[in-house]
Amino acid sequence: MTTLTDPSGPAMTATSVRAPAGLPRLLPQVPGVPEDLRAHVARHGRPPYRGGRGQLIQSVEAAGLTGRGGAAFPTHRKLAIVAAARGRTVIVANAAESEPASRKDALLLRVAPHLVLDGIQLTAEAIGASEAHLYLHPGTGHAIRQALAERHAAGVDWLAVTVTEAPPRFLAGQESALVNRLGGGPALPTFVPPRVTERGLGGAPTLVQNVETLAHIALIARYGPRWFRELGTAREPGTMLTTVHQPDGQTQVIEAEIGAPLRTLVSGSAGPGARAVLIGGFHGTWLPAAVAATLTLDNQALDRHGAALGAGVIAALPADRCGLAEAARVTRYLAAESAGQCGPCLNGLPAIAGALAELAAPGPRRGTRQNAERWAGLVTGRGACGHPDGTVRFVRSALTVFAEEISRHERGLCAATSRKPFLPLPDGMPTTEDDWT
Amino acid sequence: MADILRVNPINCSGHGVCAELLPELISLDEWGYPIVDRRPVPPDLDPEVRRTVAACPTLALKLMRQ
Amino acid sequence: MSGTTAFWYTSRATGIVSLLLLTAVLVLGILVNRQGRLPGLPRFAVTSLHRNLSLLAVAFIAVHVLTAVLDKYVSIPVSAGVIPFASGYERFWLGLGAISFDLMLAMIITSLLRGRLNRTLWRAVHLLAYASWPVALAHSIGSSKDLQHGWMLGLGIACALIVAIAIIWRLAHAARQVPRAARVATAMARHLPAAGSHHPRERISR
């Protein structure tokens, strides 16, 4: 493990608290039991405000924290950009969790809301924000509003947090779509440049941070970068929340050390339990189960196989399901969730979804796979946001990992013995402007 | 240092004027939308590039630094 | 009121030509929006002609105004070209001409500065074309007796019909157009069967 000196000095806390050793860090000691404000302060102390802009950022840099919302961008760099901006700045805690297969942000907000809310306050102080927002997954507002009220009564927060629920759209959590939504419009992405860190909500530089990232910041502020680096790898320190879809159908949110072997997360992944593993969610990558079993939970290891952690979704597809059918279902969902603003995405994704649907059904298919490949190449990099690219990544990896199934289907056969859908998908398709607000 | 040509796909309506004026760098996909060469613009094409950027009916084509 | 000076004739002639040019510009503008083609011409010809003819129209209108000002038979201040109702002679009808011309100038200036302007603003100003043209037609009919009989009347009617047809065509498309939110649903319907099973319908075997 790397040893570092914490340049920011000891955190200022009213009470002396011991840094948590090992796991869990974000999740409460007793699984599933939410920590109210009293329990939170007893465990971690009150938020250690530094008294000025910029001070926390050095700690975050030393800690090597990267974003936990999917892009894994070095957090300190984002903070520094917004902190350096002149004038008004805005902070948004992103809990939209628009990925249907992800549950970690919802859980985190339910069981450790005060870590997230501390993170908002501490980060807002560090960047000099004058406006704070919490952007929530639809239907999750109630509990967090109570937590905010608790804090207000105890005088813990220095900046008021406006809570807004996102629409139930896959793109709702995308940075520019989020800013549009908070600005009163629909949750539709916009063309970049300018990035939201340059011009975001109301034209002000806006820091959009996943709620898990903010929770990590809240801990780093108290226990320091050296503590943060006690777990994880040198390149990717710390812990992360993963949403694991086990082959038996159970879904668990597991806080794991980065670099942990994947097989410790997925039950029975090495055995006949799983056929293939989807890593990184619906914009992620399929890997054969045998390959996944040899890998560790870090981007450096995954990158060698063309995969990435994303927002920590790991789904182990049971061997008795048809991978093509699953891929076709998800691709259809992704196509239906296109913002419909860019020609290539609007035309290409439904075409790709149609091709996958054909491949998922047994019967000879002339040219379908080639069409899918052609369209995949056509849409990559040609949308205003990353939706077509993410979808293509998912589709291409499915076509590779399930190549055997494709041949089998062409001969009219399918090795699957169960038609039960595995990956979670919401019902219905957006059709009106209201569906995006 | 060099300029690159980019299209804002939200503003692009698939007119196709750009591909006519600048076939060296722009072609149309099967749906009529422009596929733009991402490499830096060759300096000798600069006047044509500027003319094409100005000709786009929706101003979706942009010449950008770096 | 007809004079016999060259200035007066030139003003009337350039006036008619301007009306024809403006008719062409408006129709071409609609054609650009609808991604229409002129037979035998490349796509950029439509956008080019639309822009170039609009500049040509402005040039003709400038001559039209200046020659009317220079003509000694009636007294028209040069400001009447852009300031509505500034002329003593035929105050109302010439005023309409100034209004129409002001709208055109707004459209052209915003188009020249398009890259720096908000898209919605540009579009809103450009839609003023639908106000500018009828006002120009009214000005043409009212400010001299020319369009009120003979072949010029026929010309005026023809222009009005062409514009009316183009506008109806444009409105018909707007009425049929699928709004953004439903566009994806339409594309999906084209490529995928509605609802139903996502799984193979045929017999499953190993």
Side-chain angles (χ1 to χ4, degrees):
Chain A
M1 242 7 93
T2 335
T3 36
L4 285 166
T5 38
D6 179 356
S8 64
M12 300 182 311
T13 44
T15 61
S16 75
V17 287
R18 282 188 40 236
L23 289 161
R25 287 182 167 183
L26 297 174
L27 298 184
Q29 306 280 37
V30 183
V33 176
E35 285 182 336
D36 65 5
L37 186 57
R38 203 151 50 87
H40 170 76
V41 173
R43 186 180 174 204
H44 297 296
R46 287 169 80 94
Y49 291 111
R50 304 291 173 109
R53 242 195 220 220
Q55 309 209 22
L56 179 57
I57 300 178
Q58 286 177 300
S59 295
V60 172
E61 177 173 10
L65 177 66
T66 55
R68 299 289 194 252
F73 194 76
T75 307
H76 74 272
R77 266 205 252 149
K78 232 189 192 183
L79 298 182
I81 291 172
V82 183
R86 271 168 301 163
R88 212 170 58 85
T89 57
V90 179
I91 181 170
V92 178
N94 191 356
E97 198 159 42
S98 312
E99 164 79 64
S102 181
R103 301 264 190 277
K104 65 158 178 103
D105 292 337
L107 182 83
L108 184 64
L109 279 179
R110 193 169 62 78
V111 300
H114 295 286
L115 259 187
V116 174
L117 296 174
D118 280 356
I120 296 178
Q121 298 295 323
L122 290 165
T123 310
E125 181 192 49
I127 65 169
S130 51
E131 199 178 317
H133 292 264
L134 175 57
Y135 187 62
L136 290 179
H137 192 82
T140 61
H142 183 65
I144 200 70
R145 286 192 169 94
Q146 287 193 312
L148 280 167
E150 250 188 309
R151 295 168 73 91
H152 179 76
V156 171
D157 287 348
W158 73 276
L159 189 60
V161 179
T162 309
V163 177
T164 310
E165 282 189 12
R169 300 272 68 80
F170 186 76
L171 293 179
Q174 197 266 358
E175 252 187 14
S176 58
L178 172 163
V179 165
N180 277 338
R181 180 69 199 99
L182 290 180
L188 294 171
T190 47
F191 183 67
V192 161
R195 301 213 94 91
V196 301
T197 46
E198 296 165 49
R199 244 171 31 96
L201 189 54
T206 303
L207 177 74
V208 177
Q209 211 70 252
N210 177 261
V211 286
E212 185 193 335
T213 314
L214 291 169
H216 285 291
I217 291 178
L219 292 177
I220 292 170
R222 291 169 164 88
Y223 308 120
R226 209 173 333 163
W227 164 84
F228 186 74
R229 285 181 171 273
E230 278 171 13
L231 293 178
T233 69
R235 281 243 202 122
E236 299 164 62
T239 61
M240 65 180 282
L241 295 178
T242 59
T243 310
V244 185
H245 297 264
Q246 305 288 0
D248 65 3
Q250 272 201 49
T251 301
Q252 300 169 316
V253 174
I254 303 174
E255 182 176 5
E257 181 180 13
I258 297 184
L262 284 183
R263 62 175 186 281
T264 61
L265 296 171
V266 182
S267 49
S269 65
R275 156 76 180 89
V277 179
L278 176 64
I279 299 180
F282 291 178
H283 275 184
T285 312
W286 287 99
L287 293 175
V291 171
T294 67
L295 296 178
T296 48
L297 189 74
D298 60 291
N299 281 320
Q300 194 176 6
L302 293 173
D303 184 64
R304 284 189 219 112
H305 296 266
L309 289 169
V313 170
I314 297 168
L317 184 72
D320 62 353
R321 311 292 160 95
C322 179
L324 286 176
E326 281 298 313
R329 287 176 65 231
V330 169
T331 310
R332 183 195 185 116
Y333 166 77
L334 292 173
E337 286 291 320
S338 164
Q341 300 187 113
C342 306
C345 181
L346 170 64
N347 288 280
L349 259 51
I352 294 172
L356 272 239
E358 276 190 36
L359 292 175
R365 307 282 168 208
R366 283 256 291 267
T368 306
R369 189 185 170 151
Q370 290 81 338
N371 283 341
E373 289 284 354
R374 183 178 87 251
W375 288 321
L378 271 183
V379 305
T380 307
R382 294 180 64 222
C385 72
H387 189 55
D389 302 61
T391 303
V392 162
R393 174 185 206 160
F394 175 87
V395 166
R396 277 195 175 137
S397 64
L399 293 176
T400 305
V401 171
F402 302 123
E404 253 184 62
E405 276 83 335
I406 296 178
S407 326
R408 231 178 264 133
H409 281 203
E410 270 179 20
R411 298 195 306 271
L413 307 167
C414 182
T417 52
S418 167
R419 290 183 174 203
K420 193 160 165 245
F422 182 69
L423 293 165
L425 284 178
D427 288 318
M429 221 179 79
T431 47
T432 70
E433 210 58 34
D434 283 346
D435 293 323
W436 291 83
T437 53
Chain B
M1 239 303 268
D3 291 335
I4 57 167
L5 204 52
R6 284 189 68 196
V7 62
N8 179 336
I10 297 178
N11 292 335
C12 175
S13 56
H15 253 93
V17 172
C18 56
E20 272 179 358
L21 292 176
L22 202 60
E24 298 90 336
L25 300 178
I26 303 179
S27 57
L28 294 180
D29 67 18
E30 63 197 71
W31 306 296
Y33 293 94
I35 303 171
V36 180
D37 193 324
R38 288 173 217 240
R39 292 169 299 183
V41 174
D44 56 319
L45 278 180
D46 210 64
E48 280 85 356
V49 167
R50 287 180 196 282
R51 193 160 17 112
T52 310
V53 168
C56 173
T58 56
L59 270 201
L61 201 57
K62 299 171 190 301
L63 195 56
M64 304 178 88
R65 279 281 113 133
Q66 172 210 19
Chain C
M1 202 27 143
S2 63
T4 51
T5 63
F7 281 143
W8 196 239
Y9 274 123
T10 308
S11 187
R12 287 156 67 194
T14 49
I16 279 290
V17 173
S18 297
L19 185 66
L20 293 173
L21 286 172
L22 291 173
T23 304
V25 170
L26 189 142
V27 170
L28 283 167
I30 289 177
L31 215 56
V32 171
N33 178 278
R34 293 281 63 257
Q35 298 185 20
R37 301 280 297 259
L38 289 173
L41 291 178
R43 290 187 199 97
F44 72 78
V46 183
T47 56
S48 268
L49 270 175
H50 172 69
R51 292 178 189 180
N52 292 335
L53 289 186
S54 72
L55 296 176
L56 193 63
V58 168
F60 267 88
I61 293 170
V63 175
H64 168 70
V65 170
L66 284 171
T67 47
V69 166
L70 288 170
D71 179 79
K72 297 286 192 292
Y73 199 81
V74 291
S75 166
I76 302 171
V78 68
S79 58
V82 289
I83 300 177
F85 317 121
S87 161
Y89 172 72
E90 289 285 6
R91 179 188 304 272
F92 177 69
W93 297 109
L94 265 61
L96 290 187
I99 290 173
S100 177
F101 192 48
D102 288 343
L103 293 175
M104 282 178 235
L105 289 176
M107 287 162 57
I108 287 180
I109 290 170
T110 49
S111 291
L112 289 172
L113 295 174
R114 195 169 175 187
R116 292 171 232 271
L117 289 177
N118 174 283
R119 292 188 91 79
T120 322
L121 175 66
W122 175 88
R123 196 178 155 74
V125 171
H126 223 74
L127 284 176
L128 291 173
Y130 294 116
S132 174
W133 194 90
V135 172
L137 181 68
H139 160 78
S140 310
I141 295 172
S143 57
S144 95
K145 297 280 179 291
D146 286 339
L147 264 75
Q148 293 175 18
H149 41 250
W151 61 274
M152 294 233 226
L153 172 63
L155 207 56
I157 291 173
C159 286
L161 273 176
I162 291 169
V163 167
I165 291 170
I167 290 179
I168 289 170
W169 183 49
R170 177 70 185 87
L171 288 174
H173 176 265
R176 272 194 329 258
Q177 184 159 49
V178 181
R180 179 210 63 86
R183 246 177 257 166
V184 177
T186 311
M188 293 292 290
R190 211 174 335 125
H191 291 278
L192 286 149
S197 168
H198 305 280
H199 290 263
R201 292 179 297 276
E202 281 81 356
R203 176 176 59 96
I204 296 173
S205 55
R206 257 173 256 274

